[in-house]
């Protein structure tokens, strides 16, 4: 079953979700353990976790009775692809500017 992906920038716009990703970069955590790091209700944390999962930044793994959150590369790959597009765009613009400036200097 494929879940619908949501906008990666909308996902990352929330500081709590960015902090959750930061915490999960250090270790996988249960949803309860993740919730202990925030001054919000457990259902609010679960809602943020669901958004992160739908955007492809995390996966949920059921181990026994616990649900563990783990970072997933999918969301980060989509983010990197978007950034790479503009890296190339600006690199091309700067190369063209360099060519123009070199032509003016040599004229």
């Amino acid at each position: 079953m494929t879940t619908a992906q949501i906008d990666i920038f909308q996902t990352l716009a929330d500081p709590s979700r960015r902090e959750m990703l930061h915490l999960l970069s250090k270790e996988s955590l249960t949803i309860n353990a993740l919730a202990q790091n925030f001054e919000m209700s457990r259902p609010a944390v679960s809602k943020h976790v669901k958004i992160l999962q739908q955007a492809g930044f995390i996966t949920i793994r059921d181990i026994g009775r616990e649900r563990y959150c783990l970072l997933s590369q999918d969301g980060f790959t989509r983010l990197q692809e978007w950034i790479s597009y503009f890296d190339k765009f600006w690199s091309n613009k700067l190369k063209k500017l360099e060519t123009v400036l070199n032509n003016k200097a040599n004229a």
Side-chain angles (χ1 to χ4, degrees):
M1 181 170 115
T2 304
T3 56
Q5 292 184 338
I6 61 175
D7 184 89
I8 54 176
F9 294 102
Q10 191 174 25
T11 301
L12 296 176
D14 186 279
S16 296
R17 289 193 285 265
R18 290 193 307 266
E19 181 60 23
M20 288 177 184
L21 291 175
H22 198 152
L23 290 167
L24 293 171
S25 73
K26 297 174 185 169
E27 63 181 320
S28 61
L29 296 168
T30 64
I31 296 174
N32 286 331
L34 193 59
Q36 292 174 358
N37 293 281
F38 298 92
E39 293 184 15
M40 65 178 82
S41 67
R42 165 77 166 66
V45 170
S46 290
K47 186 175 180 178
H48 285 294
V49 165
K50 183 177 181 179
I51 291 168
L52 288 168
Q53 182 182 22
Q54 287 175 333
F57 286 102
I58 66 170
T59 58
I60 305 296
R61 181 177 297 156
D62 293 330
I63 301 175
R65 295 177 53 199
E66 297 290 338
R67 300 188 77 209
Y68 282 85
C69 302
L70 301 97
L71 286 185
S72 175
Q73 190 173 357
D74 294 346
F76 295 100
T77 298
R78 290 174 46 224
L79 178 62
Q80 185 59 50
E81 287 169 355
W82 191 89
I83 291 170
S84 292
Y85 171 83
F86 286 99
D87 278 345
K88 290 175 190 172
F89 170 83
W90 287 113
S91 180
N92 288 336
K93 291 289 187 186
L94 291 172
K95 284 178 187 177
K96 288 178 184 178
L97 176 60
E98 180 182 29
T99 300
V100 169
L101 293 175
N102 285 338
N103 288 342
K104 286 190 179 246
N106 294 333

